[in-house]
Amino acid sequence: MLFKLTPEQLMIQNMVREFSRKVVAATASERDKTKEFPAENFRQMGELGLMGMMIPQEYGGESADAISYVLALSEIAYSCASTSVVMSVQNSIVCETLNKFGTEEQKQEFLVPLASGEIIGAFGLTEPEAGSDPVSQQTTAVRDGDQYIINGTKRFITSGEHSKVVLITAKTDETKGHKGISCFIIPKGTSGLIVGRLEDKMGLRASDTTDLIMENCAVPASNRVGKEGDGFKIAMSGLDSGRIGIAAQSYGVAMAAFDAAIKYAKKRKQFGAAVSKHQAIRFQIADMATQIEAAKQLIFSAASMKDRGETYTKEASIAKLFASEMVNEVTARAIQIHGGYGFTKDYNVERFYRDARVFTIYEGTSEIQRIVISNQVLKDKRKP
């Protein structure tokens, strides 16, 4: 099935494309070198309504559908993957979690400034000894009157330094496994919340990734999201949406690498002709185009299911798995087409290749996606 975009969706795509190519792309390479956080990008993106796109307007969002969101996110990723990953976490996990599970008071206090882009949020699930296995997390939250005392460390947290509010998971009952995990909102400035060191990463270098350390961090009970024991369910719901976001980022970076490869192949001459005339290169371009188009259709399919209110866990994992593996292959092919030049920092494909590498890892590795997909397929009792 080919998806026909509505006039509104096309308008959003064109608007974000223009902003991305003119504003975001202008400093992307330099930020990759300096690791400077693109705060000004996010200020303008907030004004454009890109930081809480799927959130209702009464809570500061744009009430956009998921298709519009993935179109916008992929356009940002085309120019700067570092900017897009912050946008993805903000929209797909932080804002959506508060909109779906938060109380009215929590929405007014935290969701409104997040969705409007006034502040940036983060989500803390991964720990030093608990990545793909969140049930093994060691962070604890102990009830003490009208507050919880939280202790633990969260690792590899996107926007850990620049966020103003953090959603974290913690064990409230060690005996109940995944049903003993709860979710909490911790505003920055809360006593006992410490930002750890800034990771020196291979890619996505302009987005900050840090530890978040909680040492006797006292959080009001009113900042618990959902009931005690809802934390695992909340986290998995956020990851379903987040995986569509990772797939959209993968598509955007792949398109950037693809366009760069075509441009180079048309102008680079070898053996008396542009390399785009040689069959070996043309076949690579054909394979790249096929992979990118397949990823796009999987992303649109998952997003459409989300828009229709259907369960889309399997489809989000399929899209994330395929698109993240695809972008790694496409960026590698783009470097190959550039030859030795692709291995230098003079060409953007080198940055695209480094940025793409993490897409098969975060918000569930490719191996975890295969587990999710197979579990969903094997429990599906419907006949083919």
Side-chain angles (χ1 to χ4, degrees), residues 26-310:
T27 60
S29 293
E30 185 63 24
R31 291 181 190 280
D32 176 65
K33 298 173 185 176
T34 65
K35 298 194 288 186
E36 181 184 356
F37 187 73
E40 177 58 21
N41 285 356
F42 296 122
R43 186 192 66 79
Q44 295 185 56
M45 288 165 66
E47 293 177 352
L48 292 172
L50 301 181
M51 300 304 283
M53 290 187 66
M54 296 176 286
I55 303 305
Q57 292 180 349
E58 59 262 37
Y59 297 122
E62 293 296 313
S63 299
D65 58 15
I67 293 288
S68 296
Y69 167 61
V70 299
L71 289 170
L73 182 58
S74 63
E75 291 295 342
I76 296 296
Y78 184 99
S79 297
C80 179
S82 294
T83 302
S84 72
V85 68
V86 177
M87 175 183 171
S88 181
V89 171
Q90 177 94 349
N91 276 272
S92 300
I93 303 183
V94 177
C95 287
E96 284 227 9
T97 294
L98 288 172
N99 185 55
K100 188 173 181 180
F101 298 100
T103 64
E104 182 64 26
E105 291 75 17
Q106 290 169 348
K107 291 177 182 179
Q108 293 296 335
E109 184 175 358
F110 301 110
L111 181 56
V112 170
L114 283 163
S116 63
E118 181 183 334
I119 62 173
I120 289 173
F123 187 86
L125 177 65
T126 298
E127 297 187 2
E129 302 300 326
S132 296
D133 179 16
V135 179
S136 295
Q137 65 183 284
Q138 297 301 308
T139 299
T140 60
V142 178
R143 184 72 182 250
D144 181 18
D146 61 355
Q147 63 183 4
Y148 286 86
I149 306 301
I150 302 177
N151 284 280
T153 298
K154 297 297 181 179
R155 178 143 295 170
F156 302 137
I157 306 306
T158 299
S159 304
E161 180 180 20
H162 289 90
S163 57
K164 298 299 182 184
V165 62
V166 182
L167 274 64
I168 66 101
T169 56
K171 286 186 174 179
T172 45
D173 190 331
E174 295 272 1
T175 68
K176 292 184 177 180
H178 72 277
K179 294 184 178 180
I181 298 172
S182 301
C183 181
F184 299 90
I185 305 166
I186 309 180
K188 284 291 186 65
T190 299
S191 178
L193 177 62
I194 303 164
V195 176
R197 73 181 182 91
L198 189 68
E199 298 288 350
D200 188 11
K201 300 174 296 184
M202 174 182 179
L204 304 182
R205 290 171 60 80
S207 69
D208 56 305
T209 303
T210 72
D211 282 358
L212 288 175
I213 304 156
M214 289 145 286
E215 296 181 351
N216 293 321
C217 186
V219 176
S222 60
N223 280 21
R224 188 188 66 225
V225 182
K227 302 187 295 294
E228 276 200 6
D230 281 351
F232 185 82
K233 175 182 72 175
I234 289 169
M236 293 305 103
S237 175
L239 288 176
D240 281 349
S241 182
R243 285 164 182 164
I244 295 178
I246 303 304
Q249 291 174 66
S250 299
Y251 172 75
V253 173
M255 278 301 304
F258 183 60
D259 288 349
I262 290 174
K263 181 179 179 181
Y264 183 84
K266 285 181 176 180
K267 74 174 184 179
R268 174 67 168 170
K269 291 186 177 181
Q270 292 287 276
F271 305 105
V275 298
S276 62
K277 298 292 184 181
H278 299 297
Q279 188 179 67
I281 301 299
R282 296 174 76 89
F283 280 10
Q284 288 207 56
I285 290 171
D287 287 343
M288 293 161 78
T290 301
Q291 289 177 301
I292 290 170
E293 181 63 27
K296 182 174 74 171
Q297 296 302 319
L298 288 171
I299 295 164
F300 280 4
S301 177
S304 294
M305 292 182 70
K306 184 177 190 298
D307 283 334
R308 294 193 297 269
E310 300 172 9

